[in-house]
Amino acid sequence: MSVETPAFSLSEREMEQIERKFAEIRTLGRGREKALFGVFDGSLTAEETWALKFLYVHMPLNDLADYDGSLFLAHVRHALAVRKRAPWGERVPDQLFLHFVLPARVNTENIEDFREAIYAELGPRTTGLSMAEAILEANYWCHEKATYIGSDLRTLSPLGMIRNARGRCGEESTLAVAALRSIGIPARQCYTPRWAHCDDNHAWVEAWADGKWHYIGACEPEARLDQGWFSGPARRAMLVHTRVPATYPGPEEITVKGGPYAELNLLANYAPTRTIAVEVREPDGTPSAGARVQFQLYNYAELFPLAELMTDDRGEARFTTGYGDLIVRAVRDGAWGQRKIRIADGDRFEVALSGGLPDQPEGSEDFEMVPPPELDGPESEPLSADQLRRHEERVAEGAALRRGYEETFLTEAEADQLAAQLGLPADRVWKVLEPARGNSREIAAFLEERVPEYGEWPLLLLESLREKDLTDTMRETLDDHLAGALPWKDSYARELFVPYVMCPRVLFEMIGPYRKGLQARFTEAEVAFYQADPSRIARLLNEGWELREGPGNLRGKAGPLGTFQLRAADKGSLDILFVALCRSFGIPARLHPSEQKPQYYTGGTWVDAEIGPVHEGTETRRNTGRLRLRREADGRTDAPAASYMENFTIARLEGGFYKTLLYPHGKTDVYDTAFEVEPGDYRITSGVRLKDGTVLGRLTYCRVTEQAETEVTLTFPAPSQHIPVYGTPDPQTPLRQADGTATTLGALCQGAQGTMIAWLEPDREPSKHLLRETGELAETFDVLGIPVVFVLGSEEGAPAPAVPEAAVAGLPEGAVFAGDPGHSALRRLTDAGIPLGSGGFPHLYALDREGNIRYVQSGYKPGSGKEALQVLSDL
């Protein structure tokens, strides 16, 4: 193959691979030929041409469906221009530029032309700085734009994050990576998919400066690199990874490589590691080549696969991980084997596949999962008083700038005025305007324009969306779905029409204006044809669309119109397209709430629409069974209250692996109604997490048959009930009340059932977790009469940190805030021998009615508020 000389230092082999793959991508994208590839007909430099081709060959299928070539060209031109302009541009090697500066995608966010907007603000601020200084400055800028709040799994774009001014850690890190790439600094998003010591995950950022990768906590600036509240937890991780275009030639270990992406294992940057070899044996003892091996970790009450690898010709799969426990499950040709391993025990383990055994065990089995131990980090040079003071000032300045922007959002008074003007209920209008935040005026304008013509329907459309949708859905999109759905408003009851016909949200795709575009591609006769029998839509997709599976978490995110045009998609995107086509034709449709299978509504029931070559468009009414959970009958008083994805989950055996059913996180009404599930083999995973992170788990197996009810008792392992006394603080320890007047620890901690007290850094994610958890438990705290004291400490001479207003609103009635100037009260606790963990803030204590400390937790640990409450309840 003849290849022209590129503008980048690529080998001839790399150039040939790019050209070959680009030809394949062009064939795959022929359904959107002009939109995707028309930019190559314009005037392009050699650099632009090769950079564009590089982006295309590493593009997930979803991006080929959803975006035009002009957007990618804009990213290319800005990245190349900044590379020439930035003082460090020439020092960034081509391979790092191509893999960690050029890419427009960071996570699963909607891709936008963010570089110019971000550079316009951040570029001048980093002029004259070193690369390391520029990384720190970029994070101060990100902190000015956004802060942490928990949210759903859809990832906001960088510009959407700025508009919203808050988001979860995956969105904070997406913004930070985008900011760094916008000023020409290589950056990548790092994830620990699940922690070993607590039920959560986390994302942060690595940035490259003059030959070395450094880490930062996104939107949570520090005064130096390689520092963050998560440093301690990261030393207990079992995997930290990042996704990168598959041609990356760097030194990091590749955990998974498939399609356009590779997954790099970065754990060795943070924690002690060991590379283990798992040898899988067939029932006859011979090596099992090509077996799928999952390395599973207990988290959110499920056995979550950190990684899935294939065994080589010797039947081996190698994985680098931390010094905790894992469950290894291997599957090949219907046979499976499973064992729990302790990494500290060695570096070679064997898993034997089953022979003529039943599909799954019977009864139940218990297991214990121990996380890696807590480790002290390396000593770092202390910051000078001036450095620390300036850093704290900048953090406070950034928070003030962000609050100033938030003050531009529509207020409740303005929402009430709009509601009165439109004749709508004020509480319902505010309920859609408040979460819209920086997009609230766009949402208000939509109501103002459309309510006079359509009455209540525009408000009902907004109410059908998720809160996050309100932050980045524009009038063009809302108009499309309102006008495209209303012709069928009288065909169904409102409770069926609004969520399953009018609502545009299907899964976690970006909502776009697809109805008019889809409807225009069919005649009235064709629409009537599909309305008469919606199974024909499934057959249309199975016969006319190429099914291709994309990489991992990028599956199933393409918008319906792009998938329709491309005529190629992964299974999730085809499912989304099916639902969107049905709704565009006035047919109620959905993804099943727990199974996520596409369904349409007909004859008073939901009917499965099997999409994919295996089923060949065969649609069936759901033949289901019922799984009823029963409470333990032995009178145990220490059994935890059942809560889905907090201490138990249900999973169905599929292809040798268990797939967790998707019920709402925290669902507690689990004994009231039987779960309607498909017939098959099921496993209930239940567990109790101890304070040190160890899990006592139980696997309970059962089989559900068609049109029958299976009863299973949900049980939990019983941990030791010894609750130690960690010390008794002096009740005269001085604190300050919120108004600045003097008080004491004893005066604030006077609960008849005990008290929970915590020292916070309210701008940091771990403290925000604790505030949110306490709000979620407010009713329980109030019923038990347990006061909650949040202490805001500060260094000597520094201003007291501000309390987030949103956090205060949902706290228990007995919650109070106190001040601890100079952290003197906290130091008195430690001087008295009361433990203070190395994990940093928050420092959480539970005191019994006599003032003895019975629970201690420092640093990041989701669920610690519930643990403290449980200890006080047990006492």
Side-chain angles (χ1 to χ4, degrees):
M1 179 182 295
S2 175
V3 181
E4 62 178 293
T5 302
F8 302 101
S9 55
L10 299 168
S11 68
E12 185 174 344
R13 180 172 175 271
E14 288 172 323
M15 292 155 50
E16 290 177 350
Q17 287 178 334
I18 288 174
E19 289 285 25
R20 186 181 305 110
K21 183 63 176 176
F22 181 72
E24 295 173 4
I25 292 295
R26 192 147 192 171
T27 299
L28 179 61
R30 60 189 178 274
R32 304 189 68 239
E33 167 68 28
K34 184 175 181 180
L36 283 170
F37 305 105
V39 291
F40 288 94
D41 298 331
S43 177
L44 302 178
T45 67
E47 278 186 322
E48 291 169 347
T49 300
W50 279 96
L52 261 179
K53 288 181 177 179
F54 183 89
L55 287 184
Y56 274 76
V57 302
H58 295 106
M59 198 174 290
L61 191 60
N62 303 337
D63 291 353
L64 292 173
D66 282 347
Y67 307 104
D68 294 348
S70 57
L71 175 61
F72 298 113
L73 181 58
H75 276 274
V76 164
R77 285 180 167 161
H78 187 274
L80 292 172
V82 170
R83 192 183 193 193
K84 292 178 174 66
R85 192 181 311 157
W88 46 77
E90 294 182 355
R91 303 202 301 273
V92 176
D94 281 355
Q95 290 291 359
L96 289 182
F97 173 80
L98 290 171
H99 290 84
F100 298 110
V101 177
L102 180 65
R105 175 168 295 292
V106 180
N107 192 291
T108 58
E109 76 280 7
N110 180 47
I111 299 179
E112 297 172 327
D113 189 7
F114 60 78
R115 293 184 195 251
E116 189 65 46
I118 293 177
Y119 184 83
E121 291 193 28
L122 190 53
R125 287 174 53 161
T126 53
T127 299
L129 301 182
S130 69
M131 290 188 80
E133 291 168 336
I135 294 167
L136 294 173
E137 185 63 29
N139 209 19
Y140 282 119
W141 179 85
C142 290
H143 170 66
E144 295 167 12
K145 299 299 180 184
T147 189
Y148 175 81
I149 189 172
S151 64
D152 68 34
L153 293 177
R154 185 169 71 85
T155 302
L156 286 174
S157 68
L159 298 183
M161 183 69 165
I162 292 171
R163 184 187 306 113
N164 194 42
R166 64 188 190 186
R168 56 181 170 80
C169 60
E171 294 165 326
E172 289 179 304
S173 51
T174 296
L175 171 60
V177 169
L180 290 163
R181 290 179 179 178
S182 296
I183 58 173
I185 293 179
R188 59 196 186 190
Q189 185 184 54
C190 303
Y191 254 111
T192 178
R194 300 286 177 94
W195 295 112
H197 68 287
C198 64
D199 295 315
D200 203 357
N201 60 8
H202 190 53
W204 59 89
V205 171
E206 285 187 352
W208 186 89
D210 297 317
K212 184 180 178 182
W213 287 99
H214 300 271
Y215 70 85
I216 58 173
C219 301
E220 297 182 313
E222 298 284 354
R224 59 160 62 102
L225 298 175
D226 302 316
Q227 187 169 303
W229 62 260
F230 55 89
S231 299
R235 289 190 284 274
R236 305 183 73 185
M238 295 295 282
L239 177 66
V240 175
H241 64 65
T242 189
R243 191 184 310 110
V244 63
T247 51
Y248 175 60
E252 298 91 343
E253 174 186 317
I254 295 176
T255 301
V256 179
K257 188 172 184 177
Y261 283 98
E263 190 176 279
L264 306 183
N265 189 340
L266 306 178
L267 183 62
N269 293 352
Y270 301 92
T273 63
R274 169 172 277 178
T275 300
I276 61 171
V278 172
E279 184 179 3
V280 181
R281 294 281 179 179
E282 295 285 346
D284 62 4
T286 59
S288 180
R292 296 165 61 195
V293 182
Q294 286 190 355
F295 298 86
Q296 301 174 346
L297 183 72
Y298 180 97
N299 193 289
Y300 285 134
E302 66 172 338
L303 295 180
F304 177 82
L306 288 178
E308 181 177 307
L309 306 178
M310 301 288 287
T311 56
D312 58 21
D313 293 340
R314 298 171 298 174
E316 285 189 4
R318 302 180 69 83
F319 180 53
T320 298
T321 188
Y323 281 81
D325 293 354
L326 292 173
I327 287 179
V328 178
R329 187 174 180 91
V331 174
R332 184 177 183 276
D333 294 338
W336 61 272
Q338 177 174 300
R339 66 173 294 188
K340 199 205 83 170
I341 62 174
R342 181 155 291 173
I343 307 304
D345 289 347
D347 58 7
R348 296 193 65 83
F349 302 91
E350 183 176 304
V351 175
L353 300 180
S354 59
L357 298 175
D359 290 338
Q360 66 174 4
E362 296 180 355
S364 64
E365 57 181 311
D366 288 355
F367 63 93
E368 179 185 77
M369 299 284 280
V370 179
E374 287 192 69
L375 299 172
D376 291 331
E379 291 290 333
S380 56
E381 194 71 24
L383 296 169
S384 69
D386 285 344
Q387 287 175 314
L388 185 60
R389 183 177 62 254
R390 179 57 185 147
H391 168 67
E392 291 178 342
E393 288 173 351
R394 294 211 60 186
V395 170
E397 290 166 2
L401 287 170
R402 188 175 60 252
R403 286 195 295 270
Y405 165 65
E406 290 176 315
E407 288 172 0
T408 68
F409 301 168
L410 277 177
T411 65
E412 187 170 6
E414 291 173 302
D416 290 348
Q417 184 178 0
L418 177 64
Q421 171 191 331
L422 299 176
L424 295 172
D427 59 334
R428 290 174 60 193
V429 171
W430 179 234
K431 198 170 182 179
V432 298
L433 290 180
E434 183 182 23
R437 294 177 61 76
N439 199 42
S440 56
R441 297 187 186 278
E442 180 80 1
I443 299 299
F446 168 70
L447 288 172
E448 194 168 17
E449 291 172 2
R450 300 304 173 208
V451 167
E453 180 180 358
Y454 296 106
E456 186 188 13
W457 291 108
L459 179 58
L460 289 167
L461 171 61
L462 294 172
E463 290 174 332
S464 76
L465 303 177
R466 295 192 178 106
E467 283 194 355
K468 187 180 289 184
D469 296 333
L470 298 168
T471 69
D472 61 357
T473 303
M474 302 301 166
R475 274 176 283 178
E476 176 192 9
T477 296
L478 296 170
D479 285 339
D480 174 80
H481 292 289
L482 181 67
L486 285 183
W488 293 282
K489 64 181 174 61
D490 297 325
S491 300
Y492 306 98
R494 182 174 290 189
E495 58 270 20
L496 185 64
F497 171 76
V498 172
Y500 302 120
V501 177
M502 186 164 68
C503 178
R505 162 66 58 220
V506 180
L507 187 60
F508 289 112
E509 75 286 359
M510 179 69 186
I511 297 178
Y514 61 73
R515 286 192 207 241
K516 183 178 179 181
L518 291 177
Q519 291 166 350
R521 284 161 172 78
F522 296 87
T523 66
E524 289 186 13
E526 287 172 328
V527 170
F529 175 77
Y530 292 119
Q531 289 172 331
D533 183 0
S535 70
R536 294 164 177 166
I537 300 176
R539 286 194 288 272
L540 170 71
L541 298 182
N542 284 326
E543 293 165 3
W545 271 256
E546 180 181 352
L547 185 63
R548 287 197 175 203
E549 286 304 329
N553 68 344
L554 295 183
R555 296 174 185 166
K557 303 294 193 302
L561 189 57
T563 299
F564 189 92
Q565 294 169 337
L566 193 65
R567 302 186 77 82
D570 57 42
K571 177 66 166 57
S573 296
L574 275 183
D575 291 346
I576 290 171
L577 176 56
F578 172 83
V579 173
L581 280 169
C582 284
R583 292 181 183 178
S584 297
F585 297 161
I587 304 165
R590 68 177 188 181
L591 297 183
H592 185 273
S594 62
E595 305 284 350
Q596 297 296 289
K597 293 185 177 181
Q599 297 180 308
Y600 61 90
Y601 190 82
T602 186
T605 189
W606 290 101
V607 178
D608 286 347
E610 300 290 357
I611 308 293
V614 174
H615 302 284
E616 298 180 352
T618 301
E619 290 73 32
T620 59
R621 296 178 187 272
R622 291 182 63 79
N623 295 316
T624 62
R626 293 179 301 281
L627 177 60
R628 182 175 293 276
L629 300 181
R630 295 295 186 191
R631 301 176 192 269
E632 291 187 73
D634 61 1
R636 266 185 64 186
T637 59
D638 62 339
S643 179
Y644 200 77
M645 293 202 80
E646 290 189 338
N647 53 30
F648 90 98
T649 53
I650 303 170
R652 184 175 58 250
L653 185 62
E654 294 183 1
F657 293 107
Y658 284 91
K659 177 184 176 183
T660 301
L661 303 187
L662 299 179
Y663 294 107
H665 185 104
K667 176 180 172 67
T668 57
D669 56 341
V670 299
Y671 301 113
D672 302 332
T673 306
F675 293 85
E676 184 180 291
V677 296
E678 291 187 357
D681 289 330
Y682 285 83
R683 182 184 72 191
I684 299 170
T685 303
S686 58
V688 175
R689 192 180 286 277
L690 306 182
K691 186 179 178 301
D692 67 355
T694 296
V695 169
L696 305 181
R698 178 167 294 162
L699 305 176
T700 303
Y701 301 94
C702 64
R703 173 167 291 176
V704 176
T705 57
E706 186 176 321
Q707 297 181 346
E709 183 168 292
T710 299
E711 290 191 359
V712 178
T713 301
L714 177 59
T715 62
F716 297 89
S720 167
Q721 288 302 298
H722 173 65
I723 301 176
V725 174
Y726 293 97
T728 305
D730 181 357
Q732 297 306 312
T733 299
L735 289 169
R736 292 279 176 182
Q737 297 188 79
D739 61 4
T741 59
T743 186
T744 63
L745 181 69
L748 295 175
C749 300
Q750 293 183 339
Q753 303 298 323
T755 304
M756 190 178 92
I757 183 169
W759 272 257
L760 304 180
E761 281 184 328
D763 272 336
R764 298 286 183 163
E765 183 176 334
S767 294
K768 291 179 181 178
H769 270 289
L770 181 58
L771 285 165
R772 188 182 77 243
E773 289 174 10
T774 307
E776 292 169 352
L777 297 166
E779 183 178 352
T780 306
F781 276 106
D782 291 338
V783 168
L784 295 176
I786 296 174
V788 181
V789 181
F790 292 114
V791 184
L792 306 181
S794 60
E795 297 300 326
E796 287 291 351
V803 181
E805 292 184 11
V808 177
L811 292 176
E813 293 178 3
V816 297
F817 285 84
D820 182 15
H823 293 300
S824 61
L826 187 61
R827 278 199 290 269
R828 287 185 65 165
L829 264 65
T830 59
D831 291 344
I834 296 169
L836 181 70
S838 60
F841 292 91
H843 298 292
L844 173 64
Y845 303 93
L847 283 69
D848 63 22
R849 68 184 71 185
E850 287 81 28
N852 302 307
I853 292 180
R854 310 301 293 272
Y855 176 90
V856 179
Q857 173 61 42
S858 288
Y860 168 78
K861 188 183 181 185
S864 57
K866 182 174 287 188
E867 287 181 353
L869 181 60
Q870 184 64 49
V871 166
L872 294 176
S873 299
D874 291 342
L875 290 170

